[in-house]
Amino acid sequence: MLIGRKRGNQVNPTGRGSDGPLVELRGVRKTYGEAVAVDAVNLAIDRGEFVVLLGPSGSGKTTILAMLGGFITPSAGRIFIEGQDVTTLPASRRPTVTVFQDYALFPHMTVEANVGFGLEMRKVRKPERQGRVDEALRMVGLEGFGKRSIHQLSGGQRQRVALARAIAVKPTVLLLDEPLGALDLGLRRQMQEELVGLQKKLGVTSVHVTHDQEEAMHIADRIVVLNRGRIEDLGSPDRVYLAPTTLFTATFMGESNILAATVSGRRDGLLHLRTPFAEVRMEGRAPDGTTTVHLSVRPEHIRLGPVAGAISFGRVTIRETVFQGAHRRCHAVSMQEGETDLLIRVPAEHPVRSGDRPEVFVRREDLVLLAD
């Protein structure tokens, strides 16, 4: 699985630059009657940062984006952009532009008329407007497409037109509401690369909504994992995937083995845990009075055969293997304490077959203590 992209300048994990955050949500809450869509969200976003709001349907990510864009007013809390309180400011007066999943293009207009629409609404004079339209189309790879109608374009080209319309007005904050969701897999991967390149070239602060974990890890400087209207986890893609802080994040961010463990004590500065596979000593804390915790270990971190410094989880029986290109996805079962399932990913060249009974190992640093 892809764990994020190479970053030229590492973004401060707090989202704050030397002059403070460009965008800030303070205690933002949105309710509809008794239903809570967003609950007490605090978030700071730095200038030039690419932040992805990630979560399942109903987690609050689109509501947060709509509040940033001025389409929904918070029930409580404040929203600041460049230090200005924009909480009640309408969308037309904010330094933001939103790209929607359905692109919201005008079918009766040409490509260049669509791209120039926002500029016309802002009373930009025609000579400057045409220059900015041409520049925006060139940046998204649609130079020479200006006179075409929307009906003559493919899905990927329409998505580029929507992006061109957004960047033509030079927004302070670019808001992206699942703009790649309607594209097929191959085109979506291509557009992810183009979107990242364009965002970094422009240096525009971007907030992107998606429910696709791989997309989030591919494009984000920082991922905000949302669950039931609250921020569940927040950090760089590699940190959120490799060291999730909560049980929800571990299960939502790709496949993971979740192990129940009994707390047997704390000695020599380490937490002593008993799992169905082995006794484990690791750094971390369990809340006072806690007797059971959960550990997460990713399938690719379970090794078949000895590894220096790793913990033996005993022998397992391989029940099923599925070839998936770069790796083999194996369903294994341990019989040490009842029947316990394990999901294992091994390199494609590893000759593992159903019925094999290898001894499996896990490095202590690949075990993650979760907060329930």
Side-chain angles (χ1 to χ4, degrees), residues 49-64:
E49 191 176 14
F50 200 139
V51 168
V52 173
L53 306 181
L54 176 68
S57 297
S59 61
K61 55 189 186 295
T62 299
T63 303
I64 291 174

Side-chain angles (χ1 to χ4, degrees), residues 4-172:
R5 55 191 171 84
K6 296 180 78 173
R7 296 164 176 78
N9 297 314
Q10 186 63 40
V11 175
N12 185 322
T14 65
R16 295 174 181 271
S18 57
D19 298 323
L22 179 75
V23 178
E24 190 169 14
L25 286 75
R26 298 181 189 169
V28 170
R29 178 179 171 89
K30 182 62 183 177
T31 59
Y32 296 96
E34 296 296 318
V36 179
V38 174
D39 192 8
V41 165
N42 294 289
L43 178 65
I45 300 172
D46 203 7
R47 187 179 299 275
E49 191 176 14
F50 200 139
V51 168
V52 173
L53 306 181
L54 176 68
S57 297
S59 61
K61 55 189 186 295
T62 299
T63 303
I64 291 174
L65 199 78
M67 288 190 287
L68 284 172
F71 302 106
I72 296 176
T73 302
S75 304
R78 315 302 295 173
I79 298 174
F80 296 84
I81 299 178
E82 293 188 303
Q84 179 187 1
D85 188 339
V86 300
T87 308
T88 60
L89 208 62
S92 60
R93 295 179 56 198
R94 294 194 186 197
T96 61
V97 173
T98 303
V99 178
F100 299 98
Q101 183 175 357
D102 62 2
Y103 313 143
L105 300 175
F106 300 110
H108 62 285
M109 291 184 180
T110 64
V111 167
E112 65 181 10
N114 267 280
V115 175
F117 181 78
L119 296 170
E120 188 174 356
M121 293 298 99
R122 287 165 171 77
K123 310 297 183 184
V124 176
R125 295 171 64 87
K126 189 172 182 179
E128 181 185 352
R129 186 165 74 236
Q130 187 61 53
R132 286 167 67 172
V133 167
D134 292 342
E135 180 186 14
L137 287 174
R138 179 181 55 78
M139 293 189 75
V140 300
L142 291 180
E143 193 171 12
F145 281 68
K147 302 301 181 184
R148 296 194 187 187
S149 72
I150 297 302
H151 297 295
Q152 294 176 294
L153 304 180
S154 67
Q157 289 168 337
R158 292 181 188 187
Q159 198 264 359
R160 288 185 177 92
V161 173
L163 280 173
R165 183 175 61 186
I167 66 177
V169 301
K170 300 181 179 178
T172 300

Side-chain angles (χ1 to χ4, degrees), residues 5-6 50 139 190-204 218-219:
R5 55 191 171 84
K6 296 180 78 173
F50 200 139
M139 293 189 75
Q190 177 186 341
M191 290 307 302
Q192 287 170 8
E193 295 286 349
E194 294 185 11
L195 183 59
V196 168
L198 182 63
Q199 189 267 340
K200 290 307 175 189
K201 183 175 182 179
L202 294 171
V204 62
H218 188 81
I219 66 177

Side-chain angles (χ1 to χ4, degrees), residues 276-299:
F277 304 97
E279 294 278 353
V280 175
R281 293 175 300 164
M282 62 187 302
E283 294 182 352
R285 295 187 61 84
D288 291 341
T290 300
T291 57
T292 303
V293 295
H294 287 96
L295 301 177
S296 168
V297 58
R298 295 292 181 185

